[in-house]
Amino acid sequence: MDALHETDGALLAGALHRTGVTIREAGADDAVAGVSPRWVALPETTEEVAALMRVSVEHDLAVTPVGGGTRLHWAPPPERCDLLIDTCCLNQVLEHASGDLVVRVQAGVTMDSLAETLAAEGQELSLDVPLDGATVGGVLATATAGPRRFRHGTARDLLIGVTVVLADGTTARSGGKVVKNVAGYDLGKLFTGSYGTLGVITEAAFRLHPIPDDRRWIIAEPPAAPGAEAVRDGLPDVPGRPGSPPGLDVLAAELAASQAEPSAIEVDWPDARGGPVVAVLVEGTAADARARAVRALMAGHGTARIATGPPGWWGTLPGEDVLLEVRVPPSRAGGALRAVMARGLPAHVRGSLATAALQVALPPDVGGSAFAEFVSGVRDDLGRLGGRLTVLTAPQDLAGRVDRWGPVGALPLLRRVKERFDPGRRMSPGRSVGGI
């Protein structure tokens, strides 16, 4: 059997090498959420990715795409992984139409290098990605966006075109030639947040913005919130559970509607024993005068100051080892914050107060039972606020105790999409909602 396995492995490796793509054996650093592939391929073009996928069809290889690897530990591990398609060599800026504020790039271009290229023309892609080394394809696959999502939108909002290779090796492009088996689908929206479960993103085109000529941050530290036990008692938003920090939802609504037109309204709450810090960004024309107007608006919520640079925590994640994401309607962001803080665990919350997209970090040594109770309890509270909680990443002994995604009403539709695009379940199987 060992000899037969070696023979099969040699045949498969030969088939992969005949595509002309650089192939190497996988190492320990190539594991996807703990699952090790057999080979790693480094294609340089869309056509080479398509050739790899056709070989994968012929030999029933399970494929996982990877960009910078900064979020490869996010989401559940794949059920199997034979071939890792590393997009590091898909690293070209294909077209920058600066007059039209449009750029088209390969998926392996890092966000840092793209920013440098665009800055030479006084332009930017307004996504504020929180992790160094992230690639365009990875940002799309994980639907990542930073503080300025409030003003400029998320990756799917700025995306105006995408090229993908499907599980059967077919190349499809949005906005141009559409192959028969994906007609009627918005590829950009489908592939954003798909975690590599539908195909491989190879190119993307984005709408750009001019770099603002001035920026100001207004940072306010409200009075300390009550302790966790006090937070649990008698608050109106959720009976018997947390409401909002005093005035925080009101402040967020006033800032969002302000004529100062902030680009971002962020919150950082490291500890339930203290109060949340709120930071607001205004940029562009008359930024200083607009910042003073925002500071006046925030005056009733603690000491506010104006700075020419962001606070140190701006646009970063609150933690890496155990990280959750909370989404609620924007008007209930304060309630979501208190729902987290009232659970008695040392949680650190950070994210957009304006769009109510918040990340929650728990200590890496949190116990399994405490973790499961936290996730279950917060989900119950958020459900009453019209929101949800997702476990982005956690050690398997913790993640295995809960449903990472929680209830998802669109799951039947998502399963039909998976069946249409990847009926053989070979694209990152099990990495997305409901084991898709």
Side-chain angles (χ1 to χ4, degrees):
M1 289 297 292
D2 288 342
L4 180 60
H5 184 269
E6 290 177 5
T7 300
D8 289 343
L11 290 173
L12 289 173
L16 290 169
H17 281 289
R18 283 193 293 275
T19 64
V21 179
T22 300
I23 306 292
R24 64 173 175 81
E25 291 187 1
D29 292 340
D30 299 310
V32 182
V35 177
S36 296
R38 299 173 67 182
W39 299 284
V40 177
L42 294 88
E44 299 181 19
T45 66
T46 296
E47 290 72 24
E48 289 187 348
V49 175
L52 289 168
M53 294 309 302
R54 287 193 291 271
V55 170
S56 299
V57 172
E58 293 171 4
H59 297 277
D60 189 31
L61 302 181
V63 177
T64 296
V66 59
T70 57
R71 295 172 187 81
L72 207 54
H73 59 297
W74 285 19
E79 295 168 5
R80 60 190 184 107
C81 181
D82 300 305
L83 177 65
L84 197 69
I85 295 185
D86 189 335
T87 63
C88 64
C89 296
L90 289 163
N91 56 14
Q92 300 299 308
V93 176
L94 301 172
E95 180 183 2
H96 180 199
S98 57
D100 296 326
L101 290 171
V102 170
V103 69
R104 184 169 64 91
V105 300
Q106 289 184 308
V109 171
T110 66
M111 298 297 290
D112 293 335
S113 65
L114 177 58
E116 184 177 348
T117 298
L118 299 177
E121 298 291 336
Q123 296 176 355
E124 65 178 0
L125 178 58
S126 305
L127 283 178
D128 308 318
V129 176
L131 294 175
D132 293 336
T135 63
V136 167
V139 166
L140 290 173
T142 56
T144 305
R148 288 186 295 168
R149 65 187 300 155
F150 171 60
R151 179 62 55 194
H152 299 298
T154 63
R156 66 186 291 178
D157 298 310
L158 295 170
L159 184 69
I160 58 176
V162 67
T163 299
V164 300
V165 177
L166 305 180
D168 63 357
T170 300
T171 299
R173 296 176 173 86
S174 65
K177 181 180 178 181
V178 180
V179 297
K180 182 177 180 181
N181 66 335
V182 294
Y185 289 98
D186 186 326
L187 294 179
K189 289 182 179 178
L190 282 180
F191 275 72
T192 301
S194 64
Y195 282 88
T197 59
L198 298 179
V200 184
I201 300 169
T202 60
E203 296 177 15
F206 295 97
R207 174 167 51 90
L208 305 175
H209 291 92
I211 296 176
D213 56 7
D214 200 5
R215 287 187 171 113
R216 294 289 188 277
W217 282 262
I218 310 90
I219 305 159
E221 299 184 2
E229 289 303 320
V231 168
R232 282 194 176 95
D233 298 329
L235 293 169
D237 282 344
V238 181
R241 289 290 184 237
S244 59
L248 195 57
D249 283 333
V250 173
L251 174 62
E254 291 176 347
L255 289 170
S258 168
Q259 292 185 357
E261 296 184 336
S263 293
I265 306 168
E266 295 287 293
V267 64
D268 183 48
W269 198 351
D271 192 323
R273 292 170 295 183
V277 177
V278 178
V280 180
L281 169 65
V282 294
E283 50 187 357
T285 306
D288 190 57
R290 290 159 55 212
R292 290 196 297 271
V294 170
R295 182 177 61 183
L297 194 61
M298 300 171 74
H301 298 270
T303 303
R305 59 184 175 87
I306 297 174
T308 55
W313 52 265
W314 182 268
T316 63
L317 298 172
E320 284 288 338
D321 298 310
V322 183
L323 188 64
L324 320 176
E325 185 171 68
V326 166
R327 299 289 185 94
V328 292
S331 63
R332 312 307 292 273
L337 284 166
R338 290 280 286 279
V340 170
M341 288 302 185
R343 286 283 150 193
L345 289 183
H348 185 166
V349 188
R350 181 180 295 162
S352 174
L353 190 61
T355 64
L358 306 165
Q359 286 78 46
V360 180
L362 295 176
D365 59 353
V366 62
S369 297
F371 176 76
E373 289 174 6
F374 179 91
V375 170
S376 175
V378 173
R379 275 184 175 152
D380 286 345
D381 292 340
L382 296 181
R384 288 186 281 268
L385 293 171
R388 59 191 305 265
L389 178 147
T390 301
V391 179
L392 295 178
T393 184
Q396 188 55 37
D397 61 328
L398 297 181
R401 289 175 170 263
V402 300
D403 179 349
R404 285 179 180 254
W405 306 96
V408 178
L411 185 56
L413 174 61
L414 295 174
R415 283 179 171 150
R416 289 197 296 272
V417 170
K418 174 70 171 178
E419 176 64 24
R420 185 73 179 273
F421 280 77
D422 181 25
R425 290 183 53 77
R426 292 183 297 99
M427 294 301 310
S428 303
R431 292 274 280 166
S432 191
V433 179
I436 289 175

